[in-house]
Amino acid sequence: MKKTIALWAALTAATLLVTGCTAERPPAAVAPPKTTAAPADPSAADPSAVDPSAGNKAPDAAGAPGAAAYRKWGLKPFAPPPAPPAVKPVVRKPGGPVPVISDIPTSEKIVFLTIDDGAEKDAEFVTMMKDLKVPFTMFLTDSAIRADYAYFAPLVAQGHGLANHTLTHPNLRTLSQEAQRKEICGQQTKLAQRYGTRPRLFRPPYGNWNEATRAAAGSCGVDALVLWRESMQIKNMQYQRGDKKLHPGDIILAHFRGPSELKGRTMTEMTATMLRRIQEQGFTVARLEDYV
């Protein structure tokens, strides 16, 4: 009997060795089927966030935002703008007068955003523009920004355009050419000192200008006087054309304004509404400096 038991034990040990099991460690429990936990960010489960064919491009090497960045602000992603033209359609000829533009000659369904003055300094707006990377050009007035020059530095660093809107926001048509030159050249110098970039574009306050304005701006190194076709109000755009529609190449005006001027709405909310209005008409946003 003892020999029989010893033989049986030896055979059992050999079997366990072959199968990779040990008498001290029981076989592991069978793992349940693998499941995917719900993502903390609901957009992570959205295939359109990573599938370009779904219409929402994932972030690429250039840093284009994906669907999640837009959803954070209650928006849908913009279509990418076309590549900038090899030759800019608006160019100041050497020795020629400064061009005055309200739109850009193009057949592409693109518009250009411009934001004036600089009185409102909404911290959320800086974050919004960093997230969305929608290009815009800010036309700044020194009297409006001097209380907090630092606010605009991150917007410049993000690559948004820096442009001139005079020192004190006067009606230039009431001033002599020399007085206009001081307003324009003075702001050129201040913006260059503060942000390291000397503006190429200028917008006259209220859109009021005359030939003395063009001459003064030209002497200050300005390449174009930029007006507009639409202006963003609180919830809707104000159109210059009778059809009340955006057209390819239109320049849109908005302002750095806060709740006291927007009936309780923030600048960030106003901007989101403006972007929706642009999308509703099938347009995307391009960078003005690529065309002028």
Side-chain angles (χ1 to χ4, degrees):
M1 177 65 71
K2 290 181 179 180
K3 289 182 178 180
T4 301
I5 292 172
L7 178 61
W8 177 85
L11 291 172
T12 300
T15 301
L16 291 171
L17 182 63
V18 169
T19 59
C21 300
T22 61
E24 290 81 6
R25 187 172 62 193
V30 177
K34 187 175 181 181
T35 59
T36 303
D41 180 354
S43 67
D46 183 356
S48 67
V50 294
D51 181 6
S53 66
N56 299 328
K57 295 193 72 175
D60 58 20
Y70 282 91
R71 189 174 291 112
K72 173 182 174 181
W73 300 100
L75 297 166
K76 297 178 181 179
F78 274 97
V87 178
K88 294 182 178 182
V90 178
V91 178
R92 181 188 178 192
K93 296 179 181 179
V98 175
V100 181
I101 58 171
S102 299
D103 49 45
I104 299 294
T106 181
S107 59
E108 302 279 0
K109 292 201 74 173
I110 54 174
V111 294
F112 303 91
L113 300 185
T114 63
I115 307 181
D116 280 12
D117 301 342
E120 177 66 14
K121 300 165 183 69
D122 182 348
E124 277 208 327
F125 177 76
V126 178
T127 303
M128 181 188 209
M129 292 296 101
K130 181 180 179 181
D131 289 347
L132 300 183
K133 297 179 173 59
V134 175
F136 75 96
T137 301
M138 46 191 160
F139 288 82
L140 301 180
T141 299
D142 188 66
S143 60
I145 70 173
R146 66 172 61 133
D148 189 2
Y149 288 119
Y151 171 83
F152 301 93
L155 293 171
V156 174
Q158 289 171 19
H160 300 294
L162 179 70
N164 187 332
H165 200 41
T166 72
L167 288 170
T168 65
H169 207 275
N171 179 353
L172 293 176
R173 287 198 302 219
T174 67
L175 302 181
S176 68
Q177 182 172 318
E178 179 57 23
Q180 293 192 48
R181 194 189 69 79
K182 289 179 179 178
E183 281 281 345
I184 300 168
C185 290
Q187 181 66 336
Q188 291 283 88
T189 300
K190 279 186 176 286
L191 292 174
Q193 289 173 342
R194 291 288 175 179
Y195 304 109
T197 299
R198 191 170 185 85
R200 297 176 41 249
L201 306 180
F202 168 70
R203 172 169 284 154
Y206 317 107
N208 290 343
W209 63 279
N210 54 25
E211 288 304 318
T213 310
R214 296 177 80 180
S219 71
C220 299
V222 168
D223 290 333
L225 263 66
V226 181
L227 304 179
W228 61 90
R229 284 292 185 182
E230 292 81 30
S231 61
M232 182 63 196
Q233 305 303 311
I234 297 173
K235 294 183 179 181
N236 291 296
M237 289 191 196
Q238 187 176 77
Y239 297 87
Q240 293 181 359
R241 299 184 184 91
D243 62 5
K244 298 187 183 302
K245 293 180 180 179
L246 295 174
H247 291 246
D250 278 0
I251 296 170
I252 300 173
L253 165 67
H255 291 84
F256 285 91
R257 289 176 176 164
S260 63
E261 297 172 294
L262 299 174
K263 295 185 178 180
R265 293 166 68 86
T266 66
M267 181 178 175
T268 302
E269 290 171 328
M270 179 273 291
T271 301
T273 301
M274 175 172 61
L275 297 178
R276 290 189 196 100
R277 298 292 176 264
I278 293 169
Q279 287 185 326
E280 287 166 0
Q281 298 187 50
F283 285 79
T284 193
V285 180
R287 185 173 181 270
L288 180 60
E289 286 78 2
D290 289 338
Y291 290 75
V292 182

